[in-house]
Amino acid sequence: MGMKLACLGLLGVLAFAQETSTERDAARDVLHKMSDLETSLDVRTIVEKITVNNPARDQVAARAKELMEKELLAMSDDITKHPEIGFEEYKSIEKLTTYLKQHGFEVTMGAANMKTAFVARYKGNRGAPNLGVILEYDALRGTTRAFHGDQHSSQGPVGMAAAVAIAELLEKSKMPGSVTVFGTPGEEMMPPNAKTDMFKAGVFNGMDILVRSHSSSTTSRPAAGFGTCCLNIDGVKYTFSGAPSHQMTPWAGRNALEAVIHLFNNIDAVRSSIRPEARIQGVITEGGAAPNVVPDRAVADFYIRYPDEVYLAQVREFVDNAAKAAALATGTKVKIDNYGQDRDGIAVASLSELAFSYMKKYGATRIAEQPGKPQGYEETGSVSSEIPGIGFSAATSTWPNHTYEMETDALGEIGHKGFTVDAQAMAALLYDYLTHPEYRGQVKREFDGIKTLFDEYKSSLRKVYVKPNVVDPK
Ligand SMILES: [Zn+2]
């Protein structure tokens, strides 16, 4: 952490979160206010104050380390070696929930109507502050096999080490506080968008803070502000229905595949009318069964991306209209299903700088000294823009995410080291949050401040993305 933390934070925001000149113009005032907010919070001083020698905190972190070394690294290896893709993680959650039950947690399966989602509340919970720990466990879909190339296999063990260490502290000290573990399936897939659905179902209600870990090839933390790794996304499925007939008399049917081809061509035809930062890419998931039958059903699946959600709505309208035009032109019908959304999340420096400081203290390697792009601690933005939190990302591999090599590293020394660092840092930060009311106040002030500025940013964007006036033809 540098001397000019507030400054670096602001630079991070300026450099990364706003990707277009329109966004940077719209954000100018907001960024100045954010800089003032960060300066007034003086994160560096509070982090220095909190991280001074504290045997009680070190004991909780040491317990998390012990749990990792004695039992949980072995469980992480076991889950890595038995990968299960999203929403089919039955064996993985069996291992995780059995462990939680053995350590005094009451487990409720099937959160938000998803079979592999769960909530585990510690039986000795004693009111606020309410600490939440998010676990993921789904593997990636490979071409030959499922694999843990994103190391979600370790997230359960890491989160449980911290949660159990905190639960034991609550038991021993009788201090007020609660710890709840959330099993969130299918991070690599949508639909459904598991965390968004869980949030909408009220599963995270009452949480004051949420934490999780994630694999990384560097030890990093986000700058304060709002943003996302990979643009705001709408996941949309376009299903066309037609009528079948013999290939020799195709005029007797209506060709749904032709409609899908029109959809792609219609989009390409208007790309010049859409701001260039948009990413509109789709695949055809159904396109008929046999060449001698006119396809009466065809489906295209799109991820539509834009740096901000305000202009994204206009991009969506172009694509939806391209689909409607395709149906009209081919005499078919279209159903539009917006099955998922990823949005900007919020990152607070009060949490990320403390997390970063602990990751370094406990021996993290491959340190990225500068804060990264501001982004939330989970992929949907729906939770991280409503509840403050932090993702721990100590270096756990020398390879990039979503590779077979990263899966191998989960079983090796670099993985084991990084997971243990994450568990210790998570336990230490949760301890601090539990025991320092003024720190909790600071986190809340920063989060609320950024949230207000995020809203201000979106309303200033709404003013600049004016649509042209298209007159009626005479
Ligand atoms: Zn992931």
Side-chain angles (χ1 to χ4, degrees):
M1 193 174 350
M3 299 264 289
K4 292 173 283 182
L5 179 66
C7 262
L8 290 174
L10 177 63
L11 280 177
V13 170
L14 285 170
F16 299 111
Q18 282 70 46
E19 304 184 34
T20 69
S21 54
T22 309
E23 290 174 327
R24 282 189 288 275
D25 285 349
R28 190 155 293 143
D29 278 1
V30 165
L31 291 181
H32 279 126
K33 288 182 198 168
M34 186 129 51
S35 170
D36 292 346
L37 171 71
E38 294 298 328
T39 307
S40 77
L41 288 165
D42 194 7
V43 174
R44 187 174 61 96
T45 303
I46 194 153
V47 168
E48 273 172 7
K49 230 188 261 174
I50 287 182
T51 51
V52 293
N53 186 35
N54 180 344
R57 179 203 60 224
D58 290 345
Q59 219 176 338
V60 174
R63 176 63 176 149
K65 182 173 193 247
E66 183 185 39
L67 290 168
M68 288 302 282
E69 286 169 352
K70 273 193 178 158
E71 305 157 348
L72 288 166
L73 284 173
M75 188 191 294
S76 171
D77 288 354
D78 184 25
I79 299 174
T80 302
K81 288 175 189 162
H82 299 93
E84 297 171 299
I85 64 162
F87 307 105
E88 294 174 18
E89 313 99 324
Y90 295 103
K91 285 184 209 135
S92 307
I93 61 163
E94 179 65 32
K95 289 162 198 165
L96 299 169
T97 55
T98 300
Y99 188 86
L100 286 163
K101 284 177 201 159
Q102 284 165 355
H103 289 82
F105 284 76
E106 191 179 330
V107 177
T108 311
M109 297 303 305
N113 292 321
M114 288 174 288
K115 284 193 176 122
T116 54
F118 66 86
V119 179
R121 286 175 208 286
Y122 181 54
K123 285 178 190 158
N125 277 351
R126 237 181 258 99
N130 289 288
L131 316 177
V133 180
I134 288 178
L135 318 182
E136 293 165 356
Y137 26 76
D138 64 320
L140 295 162
R141 293 162 289 179
T143 51
T144 56
R145 65 173 180 92
F147 69 115
H148 271 297
D150 213 27
Q151 298 183 340
H152 292 182
S153 45
S154 68
Q155 281 188 37
V158 167
M160 293 196 309
V164 169
I166 291 291
E168 290 174 356
L169 169 78
L170 291 173
E171 192 58 44
K172 208 165 47 185
S173 67
K174 307 290 177 206
M175 66 172 73
S178 296
V179 60
T180 306
V181 174
F182 299 94
T184 66
E187 189 255 3
E188 300 289 354
M189 293 167 76
M190 62 174 173
N193 216 324
K195 290 186 196 72
T196 303
D197 286 5
M198 290 170 81
F199 180 78
K200 283 185 187 155
V203 173
F204 300 109
N205 280 359
M207 288 301 116
D208 295 306
I209 181 184
L210 287 169
V211 296
R212 79 155 185 183
S213 70
H214 198 282
S215 62
S216 178
S217 49
T218 56
T219 297
S220 58
R221 86 291 199 196
F226 43 83
T228 170
C229 67
C230 322
L231 311 188
N232 289 260
I233 310 174
D234 274 6
V236 193
K237 206 187 252 184
Y238 299 93
T239 303
F240 292 87
S241 62
S245 77
H246 195 286
Q247 183 188 16
M248 290 300 289
T249 54
W251 50 84
R254 291 293 177 264
N255 193 325
L257 178 60
E258 281 178 354
V260 166
I261 294 166
H262 265 276
L263 167 61
F264 279 78
N265 289 336
N266 287 348
I267 293 166
D268 284 341
V270 293
R271 282 193 199 268
S272 69
S273 300
I274 299 172
R275 287 175 178 258
E277 301 83 7
R279 295 283 181 281
I280 312 168
Q281 272 142 266
V283 293
I284 300 176
T285 55
E286 288 179 52
N292 63 348
V293 181
V294 167
D296 61 337
R297 180 184 160 88
V299 183
D301 191 352
F302 275 80
Y303 275 13
I304 302 160
R305 302 183 192 237
Y306 196 78
D308 64 73
E309 66 172 82
V310 178
Y311 188 72
L312 177 63
Q314 289 190 32
V315 181
R316 250 304 287 292
E317 204 181 336
F318 268 107
V319 182
D320 284 1
N321 284 338
K324 288 174 195 164
L328 192 61
T330 54
T332 59
K333 292 180 177 172
V334 65
K335 188 179 83 180
I336 299 171
D337 175 20
N338 178 198
Y339 58 79
Q341 297 189 334
D342 282 1
R343 293 290 183 264
D344 284 350
I346 286 175
V348 293
S350 305
L351 290 168
S352 55
E353 293 304 328
L354 187 60
F356 189 62
S357 165
Y358 280 134
M359 288 188 287
K360 290 199 284 191
K361 172 183 159 88
Y362 295 119
T365 58
R366 302 167 66 90
I367 310 280
E369 282 298 340
Q370 299 300 315
K373 184 176 175 173
Q375 55 180 287
Y377 52 83
E378 45 77 54
E379 72 288 355
T380 69
S382 48
V383 191
S384 51
S385 59
E386 296 297 333
I387 301 171
I390 173 70
F392 290 79
S393 51
T396 55
S397 178
T398 56
W399 290 83
N401 295 76
H402 293 210
T403 58
Y404 287 99
E405 289 85 353
M406 187 177 251
E407 181 187 57
T408 306
D409 278 348
L411 302 166
E413 201 191 322
I414 184 160
H416 285 189
K417 172 79 190 163
F419 303 148
T420 306
V421 167
D422 278 339
Q424 288 169 276
M426 191 183 279
L429 182 139
L430 289 176
Y431 174 91
D432 290 338
Y433 189 85
L434 196 61
T435 55
H436 290 281
E438 76 286 1
Y439 178 63
R440 290 199 293 275
Q442 158 121 354
V443 169
K444 187 168 168 20
R445 256 195 321 282
E446 185 180 3
F447 183 80
D448 290 348
I450 294 174
K451 197 166 149 59
T452 303
L453 292 171
F454 185 26
D455 289 341
E456 206 173 295
Y457 170 62
K458 283 187 280 191
S459 61
S460 63
L461 279 176
R462 267 178 220 115
K463 282 177 210 139
V464 292
Y465 291 135
V466 238
K467 284 190 198 168
N469 186 23
V470 179
V471 298
D472 289 326
K474 293 246 161 56

